[in-house]
Amino acid sequence: MPKPHIPLEEIRAQVEGCRRCPLADGRTQTVFGVGNPAARVLIVGEAPGKNEDLQGEPFVGAAGKYLNELLSIAGLRREDVFIANVLKCRPPGNRDPRPEEIELCTPYLREQTRTIDPEFIVTLGNFSTKFILKTEVGITRLHGTLQRAGRFKVFPIFHPAAALYDSSKREALENDFTTLGQLLRESDAAAGMHEVDAGNAQGSPAALSTPAVPTDSNAGEGQAETQPDPASHVEQPHLL
């Protein structure tokens, strides 16, 4: 049986009271995440920085402003997506997250992902990409490629902050967000085709007059067998 989804506000309350690791001692406040609770796209960054720690919201500094510009390239607004981080507390001096911190904090991200149930997870940078995909392959090789984590489509992209320190990353970031927009439109088109096909099948005389397929175990040779529902065999994502 799949685990029941926990409402986001309950997960937020758990995060706010979390004392699992020493990062809790140095935080101003936790940074749970922000955005559409039923978002089609979940953006996962690394960890809060100074501004995020002060304001309690992810991506509010210069990198956040640039992220908003990048989202617009993909045809998205900040309020369309949900933005979260691997860590919910700021590491001292904005250092890299440590393995034990990731292990202790990511159950919250898992629950957020279960509840939001996005179609796409966009991982920004190495830490979120390696965690979501359970890989040691770095973002330099994976960025701009469509990956899978169970039922989720995962699209790794450089962290927007990378372009603030290395302008050569800007072109790659903007190209990757252009590709993300294309992937979203292609998914929309495919969904529309499925709806049309389903409507045609329901309304066609052949569909209306076709007898039910026998399900008896003694069905004669040459008769069609019922097929299992593919949705019941969807692989569960690694992060869940």
Side-chain angles (χ1 to χ4, degrees):
M1 290 288 293
K3 289 179 61 177
H5 295 171
I6 302 174
L8 285 179
E9 287 309 308
E10 288 189 23
I11 307 170
R12 181 190 296 274
Q14 294 173 11
V15 169
E16 290 174 350
C18 181
R19 309 290 302 179
R20 292 181 178 180
C21 79
L23 292 182
D25 297 330
R27 72 190 181 207
T28 303
Q29 58 189 311
T30 58
V31 182
F32 176 73
V34 68
N36 182 350
R40 184 181 180 190
V41 177
L42 172 63
I43 308 283
V44 182
E46 178 181 305
K50 179 180 179 181
N51 291 321
E52 289 76 16
D53 176 65
L54 291 172
Q55 298 184 41
E57 183 174 324
F59 286 91
V60 294
K65 182 179 179 181
Y66 186 39
L67 175 61
N68 293 344
E69 296 175 14
L70 292 167
L71 287 170
S72 69
I73 291 174
L76 296 167
R77 301 167 300 170
R78 189 178 177 97
E79 55 266 33
D80 295 329
V81 303
F82 195 95
I83 305 173
N85 281 312
V86 171
L87 298 188
K88 307 305 185 192
C89 296
R90 180 194 179 198
N94 292 348
R95 63 161 171 75
D96 289 343
R98 292 173 176 166
E100 64 272 19
E101 294 164 350
I102 294 173
E103 181 179 358
L104 290 168
C105 200
T106 46
Y108 299 126
L109 178 60
R110 291 190 183 98
E111 294 300 340
Q112 286 177 299
T113 306
R114 288 180 194 274
T115 299
I116 297 166
D117 195 26
E119 178 183 357
F120 287 86
I121 300 175
V122 175
T123 56
L124 300 179
N126 267 319
F127 287 94
S128 59
T129 299
K130 289 182 176 182
F131 172 71
I132 297 293
L133 293 178
K134 294 294 181 284
T135 181
E136 290 304 314
V137 180
I139 190 66
T140 301
R141 285 181 56 189
L142 288 176
H143 80 90
T145 65
L146 185 61
Q147 305 290 325
R148 280 277 183 178
R151 70 179 182 273
F152 298 123
K153 301 169 187 174
V154 181
F155 194 65
I157 300 180
F158 284 115
H159 196 289
L164 303 181
Y165 304 106
D166 180 359
S167 60
S168 68
K169 297 288 195 304
R170 183 175 290 267
E171 182 178 1
L173 270 159
E174 294 176 3
N175 287 342
D176 288 350
F177 272 90
T178 298
T179 301
L180 175 62
Q182 293 170 346
L183 291 171
L184 289 165
R185 290 189 293 274
E186 289 170 4
S187 180
D188 285 339
M193 290 179 63
H194 287 316
E195 289 178 3
V196 170
D197 290 344
N200 289 340
Q202 290 176 359
S204 67
L208 294 174
S209 61
T210 300
V213 176
T215 58
D216 193 299
S217 60
N218 295 320
E221 184 178 353
Q223 291 179 315
E225 296 179 357
T226 54
Q227 297 298 317
D229 178 8
S232 67
H233 296 280
V234 172
E235 179 188 358
Q236 291 303 303
H238 295 296
L239 76 161
L240 301 183

